[in-house]
Amino acid sequence: MSTASGRPSCALPDTPIEGVIPGIMTCVHCGFCLQACPTYLALEDENDSPRGRILIMRSLVEGDLSLDDPSVHTHIDRCLGCQACETACPSGVPYGQMLEATRATLRQVKRIPVLGRIILWMFARPAVLRPALAMARVARAAKIAALLSHLSGRIGDAMAMLAASTPALRVRPYVRRGQGTRGTAALLLGCVMDGLFRHTHRATERTLAANDYRILAAPGQRCCGALHAHAGDLDVARALARRNIDAFERSGADHIAVNAAGCGAMMKSYGHLLADDPEWAERASNIAARVRDVSELLSAAGPTAGSPLPHRVTYDAPCHLLHAQRLSLPPLRVLAAIPGLDLVPLADADQCCGAAGIYNILEPGLSRLVLAPKLANIAITGAGLLVTGNPGCHMQIGGGLLRAGGSTRAVHPVELLDASYAGHWT
């Protein structure tokens, strides 16, 4: 189907999926994406591969499938959105953008499950989310989460993930004040990171200061919008993006430091998210260009070497750092700055762990299936610490390790560097 201009016509005009037709048509169905796709490897169903889902998207565009077809929702909803297919694709298909647009279009006829809607509603409202995360911290500190982590089903999974957010290393506080010779940086506080991983924020600030970045505040910032965009709620994602753009513009910082891979990938895509908004498009692109994963900033500075840290560790690359942001070396350079660290390679470290935002809550069975080989590979390494730079991955893998009865703990790369700089840890 095509118009007189040669552009493919669309059976769903004026919908988000219409805007990604060029990407859909770029796919040549070569199959390189199949072995990169975690759901295809787990289910061995072509419909649950990137190639199969793109065919579904094309069938929607051409009118061969309807928006209310249950199988369409099943296979599109099963996608983790890890973007490993983009790394494998020789044609440059922008699959992540296509997935978000397709889900936004599907939401016109079917909303996401109630639990998902409640979570997204909370994450868009700090006045609701902050007390909820405060109660979660109490449950974590009181060991309630650890106690309930052995329950079966979603409750046990959730409690294990919460327990896994407990700091793996306790660092003696130290003070470093960066002179700013490498520029200024404002930290994205985020949602889960600010609620459950404040120790990672403090480690981020100290390690950046130790490498001569000056830290600035960015009051008024909100959730990055990643969870909403991935679920197809693009309107809320755009509203949150605008709040962040305004906050970080006012900060005047040279860099926006992000220590959560999914949030960093989202903020780097603000230009695309708001491309059709004449008032915000340029501002969004300018802010996106200033976003840096914390490992990028530290890597650019060396980083400065610390004191010996005699731990055996293994590194798992967050999908939204490796595949979405295409960053593989910076986290390894951070770890290389720690003398005495025994870094053991992890097989299939480029494969998704099954977290994917709220995917592990909405699709718990398939999420566990995707996680299982990751846990087995970690056990082979004999590492005491699993290093990863995203809260979702941290909690998913850490919770899985806890429920499996292992002693390996999850930790962020900057926490290790922070412990090395402190020279004392427990």
Side-chain angles (χ1 to χ4, degrees), residues 184-189 202 205 208 213-221 244-257 290:
T184 56
L187 178 65
L188 173 72
L189 299 179
R202 303 294 82 79
E205 293 167 345
L208 286 175
Y213 292 97
R214 185 161 61 90
I215 309 301
L216 301 179
Q221 57 176 286
N244 284 329
I245 290 166
D246 184 60
F248 285 105
E249 282 178 339
R250 285 187 281 105
S251 77
D254 300 317
H255 309 290
I256 300 167
R290 288 157 56 186

Side-chain angles (χ1 to χ4, degrees), residues 266-413:
M266 183 68 221
M267 292 192 72
K268 287 182 178 181
S269 71
Y270 275 0
H272 168 76
L273 182 67
L274 295 170
D276 295 327
D277 186 328
E279 181 181 350
W280 290 86
E282 184 177 357
R283 296 172 66 184
S285 293
N286 289 339
I287 285 294
R290 288 157 56 186
V291 176
R292 297 289 185 276
D293 184 77
V294 61
S295 66
E296 286 185 273
L297 295 174
L298 292 171
S299 178
T304 299
S307 302
L309 199 65
H311 281 290
R312 169 172 278 202
V313 306
T314 191
Y315 173 70
D316 187 69
C319 292
H320 281 87
L321 193 64
L322 181 63
H323 302 304
Q325 299 187 56
R326 303 296 174 94
L327 296 175
S328 58
L329 294 180
L332 298 177
R333 290 180 181 139
V334 170
L335 298 178
I338 305 172
L341 205 64
D342 180 13
L343 179 60
V344 183
L346 177 64
D348 295 329
D350 59 339
Q351 286 284 342
C352 186
C353 67
I358 61 174
Y359 183 96
N360 51 7
I361 297 173
L362 301 182
E363 300 279 352
L366 186 50
S367 176
R368 293 187 204 107
L369 196 60
V370 171
L371 175 63
K374 181 78 68 181
L375 298 179
N377 288 333
I378 292 170
I380 292 171
T381 68
L385 294 172
L386 178 283
V387 185
T388 191
N390 189 61
C393 306
H394 183 126
M395 296 173 74
Q396 168 84 347
I397 300 173
L401 291 167
L402 179 63
R403 283 167 71 82
S407 60
T408 305
R409 302 282 302 279
V411 66
H412 195 288

Side-chain angles (χ1 to χ4, degrees), residues 54-311:
I54 292 173
L55 183 58
I56 290 173
M57 296 174 193
R58 182 165 183 164
S59 297
L60 288 171
V61 166
E62 295 180 345
D64 296 327
L65 287 174
S66 63
L67 288 179
D68 56 4
D69 187 321
S71 66
V72 170
H73 291 265
T74 295
H75 299 301
I76 296 299
D77 288 348
R78 279 180 182 169
C79 182
L80 288 147
C82 68
Q83 295 178 248
C85 53
E86 292 192 22
T87 301
C89 180
S91 301
V93 175
Y95 181 84
Q97 297 174 7
M98 292 155 50
L99 178 67
E100 291 178 358
T102 302
R103 284 180 170 165
T105 302
L106 292 175
R107 296 297 169 246
Q108 297 179 5
V109 298
K110 182 183 177 183
R111 303 172 72 185
I112 66 171
V114 173
L115 182 57
R117 295 204 301 273
I118 292 172
I119 294 171
L120 296 178
W121 180 84
M122 291 176 61
F123 272 75
R125 292 164 176 80
V128 178
L129 183 64
R130 286 174 186 145
L133 290 175
M135 288 188 288
R137 291 196 299 273
V138 171
R140 182 180 67 184
K143 308 296 183 182
I144 296 173
L147 181 65
L148 298 180
S149 66
H150 302 294
L151 295 177
S152 60
R154 286 177 172 168
I155 294 178
D157 287 343
M159 291 297 103
M161 287 190 286
L162 176 58
S165 69
T166 304
L169 296 171
R170 298 192 180 277
V171 177
R172 175 187 291 166
Y174 64 97
V175 178
R176 294 287 177 92
R177 291 185 175 86
Q179 299 301 309
T181 59
R182 291 194 170 275
T184 56
L187 178 65
L188 173 72
L189 299 179
C191 305
V192 172
M193 287 301 298
D194 194 47
L196 299 179
F197 291 92
R198 289 179 183 171
H199 54 282
T200 308
H201 278 343
R202 303 294 82 79
T204 298
E205 293 167 345
R206 288 192 293 261
T207 54
L208 286 175
N211 284 276
D212 257 344
Y213 292 97
R214 185 161 61 90
I215 309 301
L216 301 179
Q221 57 176 286
R222 298 282 292 276
C223 168
C224 70
L227 297 180
H228 300 84
H230 299 335
D233 193 349
L234 296 180
D235 288 339
V236 172
R238 292 184 182 110
L240 292 170
R242 293 184 188 102
R243 291 290 296 268
N244 284 329
I245 290 166
D246 184 60
F248 285 105
E249 282 178 339
R250 285 187 281 105
S251 77
D254 300 317
H255 309 290
I256 300 167
V258 185
N259 52 21
C263 300
M266 183 68 221
M267 292 192 72
K268 287 182 178 181
S269 71
Y270 275 0
H272 168 76
L273 182 67
L274 295 170
D276 295 327
D277 186 328
E279 181 181 350
W280 290 86
E282 184 177 357
R283 296 172 66 184
S285 293
N286 289 339
I287 285 294
R290 288 157 56 186
V291 176
R292 297 289 185 276
D293 184 77
V294 61
S295 66
E296 286 185 273
L297 295 174
L298 292 171
S299 178
T304 299
S307 302
L309 199 65
H311 281 290

Side-chain angles (χ1 to χ4, degrees), residues 31-50 53 78 80 82 84 348 350-352 366 369-371 373 377:
F32 280 98
C33 59
L34 297 181
Q35 294 304 310
C37 178
T39 54
Y40 176 76
L41 293 176
L43 300 173
E44 298 183 339
D45 185 339
E46 176 79 14
N47 291 309
D48 289 308
S49 72
R53 292 185 178 108
R78 279 180 182 169
L80 288 147
C82 68
D348 295 329
D350 59 339
Q351 286 284 342
C352 186
L366 186 50
L369 196 60
V370 171
L371 175 63
N377 288 333

